[in-house]
């Protein structure tokens, strides 16, 4: 299997804080990779470096290489906006645009490409909402405000908005941690389906979730990559004592 | 031995005193608290009382004019103190046109300035510019007026107005002769005066836009401008509208600077180059030399109209701004 995303000796600093230390790992194409670890271990920080979200934080400094399809996204001359089109992101708290309808939310990102003919927009809205299993729930009220949806529906709407841009990689930052168990289950089922088309990297503090949805798992602790490998192996026969202690709930 | 005995004693003392002593202490505290509460309540309501009293007084004083002219007061443009006929339409017209046009010019400028301060300015520059903008609001309006009449009006007369007449004279808006002091001068001076207010409130509104909204847009591949367009401005829309309306309230009530540059001629002219008159200006100019009871009453009625209009405008603005900050709080929870 191809490696879609590859990290080479990635270090991330915020001012004087060294948040992520010297991490090298790969993310295979069309698979789900979970990044787990206790709070503050740098997993979200690492995730956000993969679509250059740290560019917004003046004190943040990312060194090393992050390759998407063999191209370093931190190379000079690479447009971060173009990178973010290829590497989409879903956040912890559902964040639909409150001033827009459900319909407009789905195409908000896609529309940035330029003028969008009506039929094309309709098609994108329908196919994206179907892919996140939201179509049947909202097809009669596409023009109503996105804030009318439940938290779980909002999060699926945000995923629809992300895939409408046609990314290759989707980063998910604890996408279900603000949701109830049933909504969480729906998001997990969705992740399973999405991996056929996209490469998914998901940060979660829920180890059962990592075990359920991911093919590969990376365990981070205090900014270091302790261990990574196939999820089955990490959860049954981890090589490191620290990993075993964490997944058996002895700390964290 | 003795020491330990002593400690014991104190402890028992304390234990014995405990059930008694706290009660008077609490009662005392409550006493101070309730006095404080009544006092602050009194102060708060005294403000409302003053407002009500002012409205009552002004309504009473303007009763003779209201009885005499009725609705004609706001529809007639005949203002003649000698004949005792008073129609306030030119003043209403002057106030509305000058403040609305000033607002139309000031709002985009202020939104731009606020966006620069909150989103564009690198690092500390924003926190340096923001207080400077607010400082502009603290300049006494007579200073603006003085600058307007000594610097801006001559410049308008020698440069801007001849240019407008030459190139856009065919539009009724720019017809006539260059007087300098004019509706245009009032619009400019009002624009300069309301920009700081609208900017600083818009800035607060923009700061209330949650980071998650900006991140949502950025993660979709939005550029800085696109982020502003799809996430920041729509979120702050009603608050920005509120800021603009608050600026309108300020512009309508502004007296000194406008009186100094508008020319004080009760005309109703489409042309922005001709002198005009506003409600606050006519009150300021004529109140000291009223010729009759009716004249004073007519001025009072203008004051009443002005006050009611600014109250309504301000209330509307506050409601809009609250709706945004309320939503920001709700979103964070």
């Amino acid at each position: 299997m191809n490696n879609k995303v590859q990290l080479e000796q990635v270090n991330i600093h915020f001012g004087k804080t060294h948040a992520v230390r010297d991490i090298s790992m790969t993310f295979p194409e069309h698979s789900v990779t979970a990044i787990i670890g206790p709070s503050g271990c740098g997993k979200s920080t690492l995730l956000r470096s993969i679509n250059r979200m740290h560019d917004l934080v003046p004190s943040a400094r990312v060194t090393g290489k992050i390759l998407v399809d063999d191209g370093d996204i931190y190379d000079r001359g690479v447009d971060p906006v173009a990178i973010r089109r290829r590497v989409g992101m879903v956040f912890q708290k559902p964040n639909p645009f409150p001033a827009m309808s459900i319909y407009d939310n789905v195409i908000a990102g896609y529309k940035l490409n330029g003028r969008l003919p009506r039929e094309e927009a309709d098609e994108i809205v329908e196919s994206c909402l179907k892919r996140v299993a939201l179509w049947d729930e909202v097809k009669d009220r596409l023009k109503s405000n996105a804030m009318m949806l439940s938290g779980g529906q909002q999060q699926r709407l945000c995923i629809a908005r992300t895939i409408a841009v046609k990314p290759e990689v989707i980063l998910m930052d604890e996408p279900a941690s603000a949701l109830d168990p049933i909504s969480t289950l729906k998001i997990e089922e969705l992740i399973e389906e999405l991996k056929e088309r996209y490469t998914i990297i998901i940060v979660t503090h829920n180890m059962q979730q990592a075990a359920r949805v991911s093919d590969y798992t990376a365990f981070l602790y205090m900014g270091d990559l302790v261990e990574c490998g196939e999820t089955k192996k990490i959860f049954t026969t981890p090589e490191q004592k620290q990993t075993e202690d964490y997944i058996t709930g002895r700390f964290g | 031995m003795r020491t330990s005995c002593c400690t014991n004693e104190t402890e028992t003392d304390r234990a014995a005193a405990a059930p008694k002593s706290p009660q008077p202490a609490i009662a005392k505290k409550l006493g101070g608290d309730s006095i404080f509460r009544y006092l602050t309540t009194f102060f708060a309501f005294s403000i409302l009382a003053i407002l009500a009293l002012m409205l009552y007084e002004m309504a009473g004083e303007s009763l003779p004019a209201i009885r005499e002219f009725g609705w004609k007061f706001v529809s007639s443009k005949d203002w003649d103190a000698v004949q005792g006929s008073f129609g306030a339409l030119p003043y209403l017209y002057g106030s509305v046109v000058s403040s609305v046009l000033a607002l139309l010019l000031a709002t985009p400028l202020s939104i731009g300035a606020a966006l620069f301060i909150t989103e564009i300015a690198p690092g500390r520059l924003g926190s340096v510019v923001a207080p400077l903008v607010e400082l502009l609001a603290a300049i006494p309006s007579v200073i603006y007026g003085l600058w307007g009449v000594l610097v801006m009006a001559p410049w308008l007369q020698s440069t801007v107005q001849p240019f407008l007449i030459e190139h856009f004279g065919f539009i009724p808006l720019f017809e006539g002769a260059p007087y300098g002091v004019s509706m245009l001068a009032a619009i400019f001076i009002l624009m300069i005066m309301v920009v700081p207010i609208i900017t600083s409130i818009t800035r607060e509104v923009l700061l209330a836009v949650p980071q998650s909204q900006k991140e949502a847009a950025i993660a979709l591949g939005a550029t800085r401008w696109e982020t502003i367009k799809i996430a920041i401005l729509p979120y702050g829309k009603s608050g920005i509208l509120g800021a603009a309306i608050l600026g309108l309230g300020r512009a309508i009530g502004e007296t000194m600077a406008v009186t100094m540059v508008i020319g004080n001629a009760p005309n109703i002219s489409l042309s922005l180059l001709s002198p005009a008159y506003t409600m606050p200006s006519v009150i300021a100019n004529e109140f000291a030399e009223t010729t009759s009871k009716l004249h004073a009453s007519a001025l009072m009625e203008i004051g009443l109209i002005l006050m009611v209009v600014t109250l309504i405008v301000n209330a509307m603005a506050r409601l809009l701004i609250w709706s945004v900050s309320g939503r920001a709080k709700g979103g964070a929870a």
Side-chain angles (χ1 to χ4, degrees):
Chain A
M1 209 182 278
N2 275 340
N3 286 328
K4 183 74 187 175
V5 179
Q6 196 168 341
L7 312 183
E8 287 177 15
Q9 294 178 319
V10 172
N11 281 283
I12 304 171
H13 296 259
F14 290 103
K16 284 182 183 138
T17 320
H18 197 169
V20 165
R21 297 158 197 272
D22 218 20
I23 290 186
S24 299
M25 64 179 294
T26 56
F27 300 91
E29 194 165 17
H30 301 305
S31 68
V32 179
T33 305
I35 302 177
I36 59 170
S39 302
C41 70
K43 49 193 193 305
S44 286
T45 304
L46 183 67
L47 189 78
R48 285 164 163 264
S49 68
I50 304 173
N51 68 345
R52 293 190 57 168
M53 288 301 273
H54 293 309
D55 289 18
L56 310 176
V57 185
S59 67
R61 192 159 48 87
V62 181
T63 57
K65 280 186 177 174
I66 296 180
L67 308 173
V68 176
D69 283 342
D70 301 327
D72 186 355
I73 62 169
Y74 281 89
D75 252 347
R76 237 169 226 275
V78 170
D79 180 7
V81 168
I83 292 301
R84 295 185 197 121
R85 302 251 163 137
R86 293 173 60 199
V87 184
M89 185 156 192
V90 176
F91 297 85
Q92 181 172 1
K93 227 186 86 196
N95 55 359
F97 297 122
M100 292 184 192
S101 64
I102 295 169
Y103 185 101
D104 288 335
N105 259 285
V106 177
I107 52 167
Y110 191 86
K111 238 169 49 180
L112 297 174
N113 293 322
R115 283 197 68 82
L116 187 60
R118 182 65 207 240
E119 304 85 60
E120 199 187 333
D122 287 348
E123 227 168 82
I124 289 168
V125 169
E126 183 172 344
S127 73
C128 289
L129 287 175
K130 274 182 175 160
R131 244 185 288 159
V132 299
L134 196 57
W135 176 252
D136 291 328
E137 292 164 49
V138 302
K139 64 182 175 200
D140 301 321
R141 47 177 175 144
L142 291 172
K143 292 292 173 194
S144 58
N145 191 284
M147 302 314 280
M148 307 291 282
L149 300 175
S150 72
Q153 289 173 322
Q154 285 184 18
Q155 190 64 302
R156 277 181 284 153
L157 177 64
C158 290
I159 296 174
R161 181 177 68 183
T162 302
I163 61 179
V165 186
K166 302 197 173 96
E168 299 154 37
V169 180
I170 301 177
L171 310 176
M172 296 187 170
D173 191 354
E174 305 194 17
S177 68
L179 305 179
D180 61 89
I182 291 171
S183 303
T184 301
L185 191 68
K186 282 188 177 163
I187 299 282
E188 288 180 7
E189 285 169 0
L190 184 58
I191 292 170
E192 191 65 30
E193 277 162 40
L194 290 174
K195 78 174 183 186
E196 312 221 326
R197 288 162 176 260
Y198 312 97
T199 303
I200 293 172
I201 306 173
I202 174 173
V203 158
T204 174
H205 59 220
N206 177 337
M207 278 173 288
Q208 285 76 24
Q209 185 171 66
R212 281 192 301 262
V213 303
S214 71
D215 305 301
Y216 302 90
T217 297
F219 172 55
L220 259 62
Y221 184 66
M222 305 276 279
D224 290 309
L225 177 64
V226 176
E227 190 171 352
C228 72
E230 283 187 41
T231 299
K232 240 184 251 162
K233 189 172 164 296
I234 295 275
F235 278 88
T236 51
T237 52
E239 275 169 20
Q240 303 291 326
K241 177 82 171 55
Q242 238 175 354
T243 315
E244 192 183 335
D245 287 350
Y246 182 69
I247 59 171
T248 53
R250 238 166 271 167
F251 79 97
Chain B
M1 185 72 191
R2 201 143 201 266
T3 351
S4 79
C5 191
C6 263
T7 5
N8 270 348
E9 236 170 282
T10 356
E11 295 232 311
T12 23
D13 270 2
R14 227 179 267 152
K20 273 190 212 156
S21 68
Q23 260 173 343
I26 286 174
K28 220 181 202 175
K29 245 185 201 163
L30 265 180
D33 266 3
S34 56
I35 290 173
F36 184 64
R37 207 180 72 201
Y38 290 132
L39 212 61
T40 48
T41 312
F42 170 75
F43 288 147
F45 277 96
S46 66
I47 295 171
L48 288 179
I50 290 171
L51 182 69
L53 203 66
M54 275 169 77
L55 278 172
Y56 174 78
E57 276 295 322
M58 292 181 80
E61 291 285 323
S62 41
L63 216 53
I66 296 175
R67 280 217 192 91
E68 178 78 25
F69 305 112
W71 287 110
K72 251 185 69 194
F73 188 75
V74 291
S75 65
S76 156
K77 54 181 182 179
D78 184 26
W79 182 276
D80 191 334
V82 183
Q83 301 288 322
S85 125
F86 297 100
L89 190 62
Y91 313 112
L92 272 166
Y93 176 84
S95 279
V96 169
V97 170
S98 62
S99 35
V100 167
L101 289 184
L103 190 72
L104 287 181
L105 293 178
T107 305
L109 214 84
S110 307
I111 294 174
L115 280 172
F116 174 79
I117 292 166
T118 55
E119 303 297 326
I120 313 284
R124 295 224 183 87
L125 187 59
S127 49
V128 174
V129 175
L132 283 179
V133 170
E134 280 175 33
L135 209 64
L136 283 179
I139 296 176
S141 64
V142 68
I143 307 286
Y144 280 106
L146 208 56
W147 175 82
V149 77
L150 294 180
V151 180
M152 189 184 68
W155 174 69
L156 286 177
Q157 188 168 22
S158 66
T159 313
V160 178
Q161 294 182 341
F163 173 85
L164 288 173
I165 292 165
E166 195 184 344
H167 295 94
F168 302 99
F170 57 90
I171 308 172
L173 283 177
F174 305 114
E175 261 175 4
Y179 293 109
V181 288
S182 58
M183 179 70 100
L184 191 68
I187 290 169
F188 280 171
I189 211 94
L190 281 176
M191 176 190 85
I192 296 168
M193 293 180 75
V194 298
V195 159
I197 300 164
I198 305 180
T199 304
S200 66
I201 296 167
T202 302
R203 185 180 135 259
E204 270 164 49
V205 168
L206 294 181
L207 286 176
V209 176
Q211 188 66 21
S212 68
Q213 285 292 313
K214 297 179 205 170
E215 284 182 343
I218 289 161
L220 288 172
T223 60
R224 186 129 72 171
W225 161 240
E226 287 164 342
T227 304
I228 289 169
K229 199 177 70 176
I230 69 172
I232 296 174
L233 288 182
Y235 194 94
K237 204 169 45 186
S238 54
I240 295 170
L241 191 64
I245 295 177
L246 215 56
L248 182 68
R250 168 87 205 258
I252 289 178
E254 176 50 43
T255 312
M256 201 58 226
V258 172
T259 309
M260 289 166 86
V261 300
I262 200 166
N264 299 326
N267 298 325
I268 298 182
S269 161
L270 255 187
S271 174
L272 300 180
L273 305 186
S274 59
Y277 222 148
T278 66
M279 293 193 279
S281 298
V282 73
I283 296 174
N285 281 333
E286 294 191 5
F287 202 74
E289 44 209 56
T290 50
T291 52
S292 61
K293 270 243 155 85
L294 197 60
H295 190 185
S297 175
L299 289 177
M300 208 46 122
E301 191 179 346
I302 292 183
L304 185 67
I305 295 170
L306 188 63
M307 188 162 160
V308 170
V309 167
T310 42
L311 279 179
I312 292 172
V313 163
N314 273 287
M316 264 164 58
R318 288 289 167 202
L319 278 177
L320 283 168
I321 294 169
W322 279 338
S323 79
V324 171
S325 40
R327 192 170 61 197
K329 266 174 225 146

